[in-house]
Structure formats: C-alpha cells, structure tokens
Coordinates of all heavy atoms in Angstrom, one line a residue:
T1 N -7.5 -2.3 1.2 CA -7.6 -1.4 0.0 C -7.2 0.0 0.4 O -7.8 0.5 1.4 CB -9.0 -1.4 -0.6 OG1 -9.4 -2.8 -0.9 CG2 -9.1 -0.6 -1.9
T2 N -6.3 0.6 -0.3 CA -6.0 2.0 -0.1 C -6.6 2.9 -1.2 O -6.8 2.5 -2.3 CB -4.5 2.3 0.0 OG1 -3.9 1.9 -1.2 CG2 -3.8 1.5 1.2
Y3 N -6.9 4.1 -0.8 CA -7.5 5.1 -1.7 C -6.7 6.3 -1.8 O -6.1 6.7 -0.8 CB -8.9 5.5 -1.3 CG -9.8 4.3 -1.1 CD1 -10.0 3.7 0.2 CD2 -10.5 3.7 -2.1 CE1 -10.8 2.6 0.4 CE2 -11.3 2.6 -2.0 CZ -11.5 2.0 -0.7 OH -12.3 0.9 -0.6
G4 N -6.6 6.9 -2.9 CA -5.9 8.2 -3.1 C -4.8 8.1 -4.1 O -4.7 7.2 -4.9
P5 N -4.0 9.1 -4.1 CA -2.9 9.2 -5.1 C -1.8 8.2 -4.9 O -1.8 7.5 -3.8 CB -2.3 10.6 -5.0 CG -2.7 11.0 -3.6 CD -3.9 10.3 -3.2
P6 N -1.0 7.9 -5.9 CA 0.1 7.0 -5.7 C 1.0 7.4 -4.5 O 1.1 8.6 -4.1 CB 0.9 7.0 -7.0 CG 0.4 8.2 -7.8 CD -0.9 8.6 -7.2
P7 N 1.7 6.5 -3.9 CA 2.5 6.8 -2.7 C 3.4 8.0 -2.8 O 3.6 8.8 -1.9 CB 3.3 5.5 -2.4 CG 2.4 4.4 -3.0 CD 1.8 5.1 -4.2
E8 N 4.1 8.1 -4.0 CA 5.0 9.2 -4.1 C 4.4 10.6 -4.1 O 5.0 11.6 -4.0 CB 5.9 9.0 -5.4 CG 5.2 9.1 -6.7 CD 4.6 7.7 -7.1 OE1 4.7 6.8 -6.4 OE2 4.0 7.7 -8.2
K9 N 3.1 10.6 -4.3 CA 2.3 11.9 -4.3 C 1.5 12.1 -3.0 O 0.7 13.0 -3.0 CB 1.5 12.0 -5.5 CG 2.3 12.1 -6.8 CD 1.4 12.3 -8.0 CE 2.3 12.5 -9.2 NZ 1.6 13.0 -10.4
R10 N 1.6 11.2 -2.1 CA 0.7 11.2 -0.9 C 1.3 12.1 0.2 O 2.5 12.2 0.4 CB 0.6 9.8 -0.3 CG -0.7 9.3 -0.4 CD -0.7 7.8 0.0 NE -1.1 7.0 -1.1 CZ -2.1 6.2 -1.0 NH1 -2.6 5.8 0.1 NH2 -2.5 5.5 -2.1
A11 N 0.5 12.6 1.0 CA 0.9 13.3 2.2 C 0.8 12.3 3.4 O 0.8 11.1 3.1 CB -0.1 14.5 2.5
G12 N 0.8 12.7 4.6 CA 0.8 11.8 5.7 C -0.5 11.2 6.1 O -0.8 10.9 7.2
I13 N -1.4 11.2 5.1 CA -2.8 10.7 5.4 C -3.1 9.5 4.5 O -2.8 9.6 3.3 CB -3.9 11.8 5.1 CG1 -3.6 13.0 6.0 CG2 -5.3 11.3 5.3 CD1 -4.4 14.2 5.7
V14 N -3.6 8.4 5.1 CA -3.9 7.2 4.3 C -5.3 6.9 4.5 O -5.7 6.6 5.7 CB -3.0 6.1 4.7 CG1 -3.3 4.8 3.8 CG2 -1.5 6.4 4.5
S15 N -6.1 6.8 3.5 CA -7.5 6.3 3.5 C -7.5 4.9 3.1 O -6.9 4.6 2.0 CB -8.4 7.2 2.6 OG -8.5 8.5 3.1
F16 N -8.2 4.0 3.8 CA -8.1 2.6 3.5 C -9.4 1.9 4.0 O -10.1 2.4 4.9 CB -6.9 2.0 4.1 CG -6.8 2.0 5.6 CD1 -7.3 0.9 6.3 CD2 -6.4 3.1 6.3 CE1 -7.3 1.0 7.7 CE2 -6.3 3.2 7.7 CZ -6.8 2.1 8.4
N17 N -9.5 0.7 3.6 CA -10.5 -0.2 4.1 C -9.9 -1.6 4.3 O -8.9 -2.0 3.6 CB -11.8 -0.4 3.2 CG -12.8 0.7 3.4 OD1 -12.9 1.3 4.5 ND2 -13.5 1.1 2.4
V18 N -10.4 -2.3 5.3 CA -9.9 -3.7 5.5 C -11.0 -4.6 4.9 O -12.2 -4.4 5.3 CB -9.7 -4.0 7.0 CG1 -9.4 -5.5 7.2 CG2 -8.7 -3.1 7.6
E19 N -10.7 -5.4 4.0 CA -11.7 -6.3 3.3 C -12.6 -7.0 4.3 O -12.2 -7.6 5.2 CB -11.0 -7.3 2.4 CG -11.9 -8.1 1.5 CD -11.2 -9.0 0.6 OE1 -10.0 -9.0 0.6 OE2 -11.9 -9.7 -0.1
D20 N -13.9 -6.9 4.0 CA -15.0 -7.6 4.8 C -15.1 -7.1 6.2 O -15.7 -7.8 7.0 CB -14.7 -9.1 4.8 CG -14.8 -9.7 3.4 OD1 -15.6 -9.2 2.5 OD2 -14.1 -10.7 3.1
V21 N -14.5 -5.9 6.5 CA -14.7 -5.4 7.9 C -15.2 -3.9 7.8 O -14.5 -3.1 7.1 CB -13.3 -5.4 8.7 CG1 -13.6 -5.0 10.1 CG2 -12.7 -6.8 8.6
H22 N -16.3 -3.6 8.4 CA -16.8 -2.3 8.4 C -15.8 -1.3 9.0 O -15.2 -1.6 10.0 CB -18.2 -2.2 9.1 CG -18.9 -0.9 8.8 ND1 -18.6 0.3 9.4 CD2 -19.9 -0.7 7.9 CE1 -19.4 1.2 8.9 NE2 -20.2 0.6 8.1
P23 N -15.6 -0.1 8.4 CA -14.7 0.9 9.0 C -14.9 1.2 10.4 O -14.0 1.4 11.2 CB -14.9 2.1 8.1 CG -15.3 1.5 6.8 CD -16.2 0.3 7.1
H24 N -16.2 1.3 10.9 CA -16.4 1.6 12.3 C -15.9 0.4 13.2 O -15.4 0.7 14.3 CB -17.9 1.9 12.5 CG -18.3 3.1 11.9 ND1 -19.5 3.2 11.2 CD2 -17.7 4.3 11.7 CE1 -19.6 4.5 10.7 NE2 -18.5 5.1 11.0
D25 N -16.0 -0.8 12.7 CA -15.4 -1.9 13.5 C -13.9 -1.8 13.6 O -13.3 -2.1 14.6 CB -15.9 -3.3 12.9 CG -17.4 -3.5 13.1 OD1 -18.0 -3.0 14.1 OD2 -17.9 -4.2 12.2
V26 N -13.3 -1.5 12.5 CA -11.8 -1.3 12.5 C -11.4 -0.2 13.5 O -10.5 -0.4 14.3 CB -11.3 -0.9 11.0 CG1 -9.9 -0.6 11.1 CG2 -11.5 -2.1 10.1
A27 N -12.1 0.9 13.4 CA -11.8 2.0 14.3 C -12.0 1.6 15.8 O -11.2 2.0 16.6 CB -12.7 3.2 14.0
Q28 N -13.0 0.8 16.1 CA -13.2 0.4 17.5 C -12.1 -0.5 17.9 O -11.6 -0.4 19.1 CB -14.6 -0.3 17.6 CG -14.9 -0.6 19.1 CD -16.3 -1.0 19.2 OE1 -17.1 -1.0 18.3 NE2 -16.7 -1.4 20.5
I29 N -11.7 -1.5 17.1 CA -10.6 -2.4 17.5 C -9.3 -1.6 17.7 O -8.6 -1.8 18.6 CB -10.4 -3.5 16.4 CG1 -11.6 -4.4 16.4 CG2 -9.1 -4.3 16.6 CD1 -12.0 -5.1 17.7
L30 N -9.1 -0.7 16.8 CA -7.8 0.1 16.9 C -7.9 1.0 18.2 O -6.9 1.2 18.8 CB -7.6 1.0 15.7 CG -7.2 0.3 14.4 CD1 -7.2 1.2 13.2 CD2 -5.9 -0.4 14.6
D31 N -9.1 1.5 18.5 CA -9.2 2.2 19.8 C -8.8 1.4 21.0 O -8.1 1.9 21.9 CB -10.6 2.7 19.9 CG -10.8 3.5 21.2 OD1 -10.1 4.6 21.3 OD2 -11.7 3.2 22.0
L32 N -9.1 0.1 21.0 CA -8.7 -0.8 22.0 C -7.2 -1.0 22.1 O -6.6 -1.3 23.1 CB -9.3 -2.2 21.8 CG -10.9 -2.2 22.0 CD1 -11.4 -3.6 21.6 CD2 -11.3 -1.8 23.4
E33 N -6.5 -0.7 21.0 CA -5.0 -0.8 20.9 C -4.4 0.6 21.1 O -3.2 0.8 20.9 CB -4.6 -1.3 19.5 CG -5.1 -2.6 19.1 CD -4.5 -3.8 19.9 OE1 -3.3 -3.6 20.3 OE2 -5.1 -4.8 20.0
A34 N -5.2 1.6 21.6 CA -4.8 3.0 21.8 C -4.3 3.6 20.5 O -3.3 4.4 20.5 CB -3.7 3.0 22.9
V35 N -5.0 3.3 19.4 CA -4.7 4.0 18.2 C -5.9 4.7 17.7 O -7.0 4.1 17.6 CB -4.3 2.9 17.1 CG1 -4.1 3.6 15.7 CG2 -3.0 2.2 17.5
A36 N -5.8 6.0 17.5 CA -6.9 6.8 17.0 C -6.9 7.0 15.5 O -5.8 7.5 15.0 CB -6.9 8.2 17.8
I37 N -7.9 6.7 14.9 CA -8.1 6.9 13.4 C -9.5 7.5 13.2 O -10.3 7.6 14.2 CB -7.9 5.7 12.6 CG1 -9.1 4.7 12.8 CG2 -6.6 5.0 12.8 CD1 -9.2 3.6 11.8
R38 N -9.8 8.0 12.0 CA -11.1 8.4 11.7 C -11.8 7.3 10.9 O -11.1 6.6 10.1 CB -11.1 9.7 10.8 CG -10.4 10.8 11.5 CD -11.4 11.5 12.4 NE -10.9 12.7 13.0 CZ -11.5 13.4 13.8 NH1 -12.7 13.1 14.2 NH2 -10.9 14.5 14.3
A39 N -13.1 7.2 11.0 CA -13.9 6.2 10.2 C -15.2 6.9 9.8 O -15.8 7.6 10.7 CB -14.1 5.0 11.0
G40 N -15.6 6.8 8.6 CA -16.8 7.3 8.1 C -16.7 7.9 6.7 O -15.9 7.5 5.9
H41 N -17.6 8.9 6.5 CA -17.6 9.6 5.2 C -16.6 10.6 5.0 O -16.3 11.0 3.9 CB -19.0 10.2 4.9 CG -20.1 9.2 4.9 ND1 -21.2 9.4 5.6 CD2 -20.3 8.1 4.2 CE1 -22.1 8.3 5.4 NE2 -21.5 7.5 4.5
H42 N -16.1 11.2 6.1 CA -15.1 12.3 6.0 C -15.6 13.5 5.2 O -14.8 14.1 4.5 CB -13.7 11.8 5.4 CG -13.3 10.5 6.0 ND1 -13.0 10.3 7.3 CD2 -13.2 9.3 5.4 CE1 -12.7 9.0 7.5 NE2 -12.8 8.4 6.4
C43 N -16.9 13.7 5.3 CA -17.5 14.9 4.6 C -17.4 14.8 3.1 O -17.3 15.8 2.5 CB -17.0 16.2 5.2 SG -17.3 16.4 6.9
C44 N -17.4 13.6 2.6 CA -17.3 13.5 1.1 C -18.1 12.3 0.6 O -17.6 11.4 0.0 CB -15.8 13.4 0.7 SG -14.9 12.0 1.4
Q45 N -19.4 12.3 1.0 CA -20.3 11.3 0.5 C -20.3 11.0 -1.0 O -20.4 9.9 -1.4 CB -21.7 11.5 1.1 CG -21.9 11.3 2.6 CD -21.6 12.6 3.3 OE1 -20.9 13.5 2.9 NE2 -22.1 12.7 4.5
P46 N -20.3 12.1 -1.8 CA -20.3 11.8 -3.2 C -19.1 11.0 -3.7 O -19.2 10.1 -4.5 CB -20.2 13.2 -3.9 CG -20.9 14.1 -2.9 CD -20.4 13.5 -1.5
L47 N -17.9 11.2 -3.1 CA -16.7 10.4 -3.4 C -16.9 9.0 -2.9 O -16.6 8.0 -3.6 CB -15.5 11.0 -2.7 CG -14.2 10.2 -2.9 CD1 -13.9 10.0 -4.4 CD2 -13.1 10.8 -2.2
M48 N -17.5 8.8 -1.7 CA -17.8 7.4 -1.3 C -18.7 6.7 -2.2 O -18.4 5.5 -2.5 CB -18.4 7.4 0.1 CG -17.6 8.0 1.2 SD -16.1 7.1 1.5 CE -15.0 8.4 1.9
R49 N -19.7 7.3 -2.7 CA -20.6 6.7 -3.7 C -19.8 6.3 -5.0 O -20.0 5.3 -5.5 CB -21.8 7.7 -4.1 CG -23.0 7.5 -3.2 CD -24.2 8.2 -3.7 NE -24.0 9.6 -4.0 CZ -24.1 10.6 -3.0 NH1 -24.4 10.2 -1.8 NH2 -23.9 11.8 -3.3
K50 N -19.0 7.3 -5.4 CA -18.2 7.0 -6.6 C -17.2 5.8 -6.4 O -17.0 5.0 -7.3 CB -17.4 8.2 -7.0 CG -16.6 8.0 -8.3 CD -15.9 9.3 -8.7 CE -15.0 9.0 -9.9 NZ -15.4 9.6 -11.1
L51 N -16.7 5.7 -5.2 CA -15.7 4.6 -4.9 C -16.5 3.3 -4.7 O -15.9 2.2 -4.7 CB -14.9 4.9 -3.7 CG -13.9 6.1 -3.8 CD1 -13.3 6.4 -2.5 CD2 -12.8 5.7 -4.9
G52 N -17.8 3.4 -4.4 CA -18.6 2.2 -4.2 C -18.4 1.7 -2.8 O -18.5 0.4 -2.6
V53 N -18.1 2.5 -1.8 CA -17.9 2.1 -0.4 C -18.9 2.9 0.5 O -19.3 4.0 0.2 CB -16.5 2.3 0.0 CG1 -15.5 1.4 -0.8 CG2 -16.0 3.7 0.0
V54 N -19.2 2.3 1.6 CA -20.1 2.9 2.6 C -19.3 4.0 3.4 O -19.9 4.9 3.9 CB -20.8 2.0 3.5 CG1 -21.7 1.1 2.7 CG2 -19.8 1.1 4.3
A55 N -18.0 3.7 3.6 CA -17.2 4.6 4.4 C -15.7 4.1 4.3 O -15.5 3.1 3.6 CB -17.6 4.5 5.9
T56 N -14.8 4.9 4.8 CA -13.4 4.5 4.8 C -12.8 4.8 6.2 O -13.4 5.5 7.0 CB -12.5 5.2 3.8 OG1 -12.5 6.6 4.0 CG2 -13.0 4.9 2.3
N57 N -11.6 4.2 6.4 CA -10.8 4.5 7.6 C -9.8 5.5 7.1 O -9.4 5.5 5.9 CB -10.1 3.3 8.1 CG -11.0 2.2 8.6 OD1 -11.6 2.4 9.6 ND2 -11.2 1.2 7.8
R58 N -9.3 6.4 8.0 CA -8.3 7.3 7.6 C -7.3 7.5 8.8 O -7.6 7.8 9.9 CB -8.9 8.7 7.3 CG -7.9 9.7 6.8 CD -8.6 11.0 6.4 NE -9.0 11.6 7.6 CZ -10.0 12.6 7.7 NH1 -10.6 13.0 6.6 NH2 -10.3 13.1 8.8
A59 N -6.0 7.1 8.5 CA -5.0 7.3 9.5 C -4.0 8.4 9.1 O -3.8 8.6 7.9 CB -4.1 6.0 9.6
S60 N -3.6 9.2 10.0 CA -2.7 10.3 9.8 C -1.4 10.1 10.5 O -1.3 9.6 11.6 CB -3.3 11.6 10.3 OG -4.6 11.8 9.7
F61 N -0.3 10.4 9.7 CA 1.1 10.3 10.3 C 1.8 11.6 10.2 O 1.5 12.4 9.2 CB 1.9 9.3 9.4 CG 1.2 7.9 9.4 CD1 0.3 7.6 8.4 CD2 1.5 7.0 10.4 CE1 -0.3 6.4 8.4 CE2 0.9 5.7 10.3 CZ 0.0 5.4 9.3
Y62 N 2.7 11.9 11.1 CA 3.5 13.1 11.1 C 4.8 12.9 11.8 O 5.1 11.7 12.2 CB 2.7 14.3 11.7 CG 3.3 15.6 11.3 CD1 3.4 16.0 10.0 CD2 3.7 16.5 12.3 CE1 3.9 17.3 9.7 CE2 4.3 17.7 12.0 CZ 4.4 18.1 10.7 OH 4.9 19.3 10.3
L63 N 5.6 13.9 11.9 CA 6.9 13.7 12.5 C 6.8 13.2 13.9 O 7.8 12.5 14.3 CB 7.6 15.1 12.5 CG 7.9 15.8 11.2 CD1 8.4 17.2 11.4 CD2 8.8 14.9 10.4
Y64 N 5.8 13.5 14.6 CA 5.7 13.0 16.0 C 5.2 11.5 16.1 O 5.2 11.0 17.2 CB 4.8 13.9 16.8 CG 3.4 14.1 16.2 CD1 2.4 13.1 16.3 CD2 3.1 15.3 15.5 CE1 1.2 13.3 15.7 CE2 1.9 15.5 14.9 CZ 0.9 14.5 15.0 OH -0.3 14.7 14.4
S65 N 4.8 10.9 15.0 CA 4.4 9.5 15.0 C 5.6 8.6 15.3 O 6.6 8.8 14.7 CB 3.7 9.1 13.7 OG 2.6 9.9 13.4
T66 N 5.4 7.7 16.2 CA 6.5 6.8 16.5 C 6.4 5.4 15.8 O 5.3 5.1 15.4 CB 6.6 6.6 18.0 OG1 5.5 5.8 18.5 CG2 6.7 7.9 18.8
A67 N 7.5 4.7 15.8 CA 7.4 3.4 15.2 C 6.5 2.5 16.0 O 5.8 1.6 15.5 CB 8.8 2.8 15.1
A68 N 6.5 2.6 17.3 CA 5.6 1.8 18.2 C 4.2 2.1 17.9 O 3.4 1.2 17.9 CB 5.9 2.1 19.7
E69 N 3.8 3.3 17.6 CA 2.4 3.6 17.2 C 2.1 3.0 15.9 O 0.9 2.5 15.7 CB 2.2 5.2 17.1 CG 2.3 5.8 18.5 CD 2.4 7.3 18.4 OE1 2.9 7.9 17.4 OE2 2.0 8.0 19.4
V70 N 3.0 3.0 14.9 CA 2.7 2.4 13.6 C 2.5 0.9 13.8 O 1.7 0.3 13.3 CB 3.8 2.7 12.6 CG1 3.6 2.0 11.3 CG2 3.8 4.2 12.4
D71 N 3.4 0.3 14.7 CA 3.3 -1.1 15.0 C 1.9 -1.5 15.6 O 1.3 -2.5 15.3 CB 4.4 -1.6 15.9 CG 5.8 -1.6 15.2 OD1 5.8 -1.6 14.0 OD2 6.8 -1.6 15.9
R72 N 1.4 -0.6 16.5 CA 0.1 -0.8 17.1 C -1.0 -0.8 16.1 O -2.0 -1.5 16.1 CB -0.1 0.1 18.3 CG 0.6 -0.2 19.6 CD 0.0 0.4 20.8 NE -0.4 1.8 20.6 CZ 0.4 2.9 20.9 NH1 1.6 2.7 21.3 NH2 -0.1 4.1 20.7
L73 N -0.8 0.2 15.2 CA -1.8 0.3 14.1 C -1.9 -1.0 13.3 O -2.9 -1.6 13.0 CB -1.5 1.5 13.2 CG -2.2 1.6 11.8 CD1 -3.7 1.9 12.1 CD2 -1.6 2.6 10.9
V74 N -0.7 -1.5 12.9 CA -0.6 -2.7 12.0 C -1.2 -3.9 12.8 O -2.0 -4.7 12.3 CB 0.8 -2.9 11.6 CG1 0.9 -4.3 10.9 CG2 1.3 -1.8 10.6
E75 N -0.8 -4.0 14.0 CA -1.3 -5.2 14.8 C -2.8 -5.1 15.0 O -3.5 -6.1 14.9 CB -0.6 -5.3 16.2 CG -1.1 -6.4 17.0 CD -1.1 -7.8 16.3 OE1 -0.2 -8.1 15.6 OE2 -2.1 -8.6 16.6
G76 N -3.3 -3.9 15.2 CA -4.8 -3.7 15.4 C -5.5 -4.0 14.1 O -6.6 -4.6 14.1
L77 N -4.9 -3.7 12.9 CA -5.5 -4.1 11.6 C -5.6 -5.6 11.5 O -6.6 -6.1 11.0 CB -4.8 -3.4 10.5 CG -4.9 -1.9 10.4 CD1 -4.0 -1.3 9.3 CD2 -6.3 -1.4 10.2
H78 N -4.5 -6.2 11.9 CA -4.5 -7.7 11.8 C -5.6 -8.3 12.8 O -6.3 -9.2 12.4 CB -3.1 -8.3 12.2 CG -2.1 -8.1 11.1 ND1 -2.2 -8.6 9.8 CD2 -1.0 -7.4 11.1 CE1 -1.2 -8.3 9.1 NE2 -0.4 -7.5 9.9
R79 N -5.7 -7.7 13.9 CA -6.7 -8.2 14.9 C -8.1 -8.0 14.4 O -8.9 -8.9 14.5 CB -6.5 -7.4 16.2 CG -7.4 -7.8 17.3 CD -7.1 -7.1 18.6 NE -8.1 -7.5 19.6 CZ -8.3 -6.8 20.7 NH1 -7.6 -5.7 21.0 NH2 -9.1 -7.2 21.6
A80 N -8.4 -6.8 13.8 CA -9.7 -6.6 13.2 C -10.0 -7.6 12.1 O -11.1 -8.1 12.1 CB -9.8 -5.2 12.7
R81 N -9.1 -7.9 11.3 CA -9.2 -8.8 10.2 C -9.6 -10.2 10.8 O -10.5 -10.9 10.3 CB -8.0 -8.9 9.4 CG -8.0 -9.8 8.2 CD -8.6 -9.2 7.0 NE -8.5 -10.1 5.9 CZ -9.4 -10.3 5.0 NH1 -10.4 -9.6 5.0 NH2 -9.2 -11.2 4.1
R82 N -8.8 -10.6 11.8 CA -9.0 -11.9 12.4 C -10.4 -12.0 13.1 O -11.1 -13.0 13.0 CB -8.0 -12.3 13.5 CG -6.6 -12.6 12.9 CD -5.7 -13.1 14.0 NE -5.5 -12.3 15.1 CZ -4.6 -11.3 15.2 NH1 -3.7 -11.1 14.3 NH2 -4.5 -10.6 16.3
M83 N -10.8 -11.0 13.7 CA -12.1 -11.0 14.4 C -13.3 -10.9 13.5 O -14.4 -11.5 13.8 CB -12.2 -9.8 15.4 CG -11.2 -9.9 16.6 SD -11.4 -8.5 17.7 CE -13.0 -8.8 18.4
F84 N -13.3 -10.1 12.5 CA -14.5 -9.8 11.7 C -14.5 -10.5 10.3 O -15.6 -10.6 9.7 CB -14.7 -8.3 11.5 CG -15.0 -7.7 12.8 CD1 -14.1 -7.0 13.5 CD2 -16.3 -7.7 13.3 CE1 -14.4 -6.4 14.7 CE2 -16.7 -7.1 14.5 CZ -15.7 -6.4 15.2
A85 N -13.4 -10.8 9.8 CA -13.3 -11.3 8.4 C -13.6 -12.8 8.3 O -13.5 -13.5 9.2 CB -12.0 -11.0 7.7

C-alpha cells in the first residue's frame, strides 16, 4: 500500500506498507540487503491514526540513486513478504 499524493504530484519520497508485515520488520530485512529506509511514525502520529496504521516505511530517491539500489529495494520487499506474510 502506498500513501500520499498521486504519482504525478509526488517528490522522490514514497511512504508505503507491505501487507501483513510490520514496517520495522521490512526495514530490518532491507537493511540486510544494504538498503536504508525509514520506518515508524515519521513525527506524524495523528496522520498514522487517521490512516489506521501503526507506522509506515519511507524510501527516498534522488539523482544519485542507482538502478541497482532500486533493484535491491524491490528484492528486499519481496523477501520481507515471503518471510513474514
């Protein structure tokens, strides 16, 4: 599940959750793949309550992000899903 504005209005930040996997577990699996993301409330607990979630994951992309890094992120998300879901 992704959160935020539609893709055409988004910056290089994507907030998301992997169904049935706690955001901290996702972050730990991605860390094992050498991918750093944020997991938690992101200083916006009222928004988390409104969304009905305990926390989210947040990945940031910029000009220096490589295709290999994005591939590691995707593979790590698949791995987390296989392990925890």
Side-chain angles (χ1 to χ4, degrees):
T1 304
T2 58
Y3 304 96
E8 64 274 4
K9 294 187 176 191
R10 247 175 240 232
I13 300 171
V14 179
S15 294
F16 64 94
N17 276 332
V18 177
E19 186 178 357
D20 298 327
V21 185
H22 193 282
H24 292 139
D25 292 329
V26 171
Q28 186 168 357
I29 294 302
L30 289 173
D31 182 56
L32 296 172
E33 301 288 334
V35 176
I37 66 164
R38 299 279 185 182
H41 295 129
H42 316 295
C43 298
C44 58
Q45 289 90 336
L47 176 59
M48 297 294 144
R49 272 193 302 277
K50 182 178 173 107
L51 293 173
V53 298
V54 296
T56 63
N57 297 287
R58 188 176 69 199
S60 301
F61 302 90
Y62 196 60
L63 297 174
Y64 53 78
S65 299
T66 67
E69 291 169 334
V70 175
D71 290 343
R72 280 199 321 268
L73 169 68
V74 171
E75 180 51 39
L77 293 174
H78 287 297
R79 182 177 178 196
R81 180 88 173 142
R82 287 190 305 269
M83 289 180 71
F84 292 100

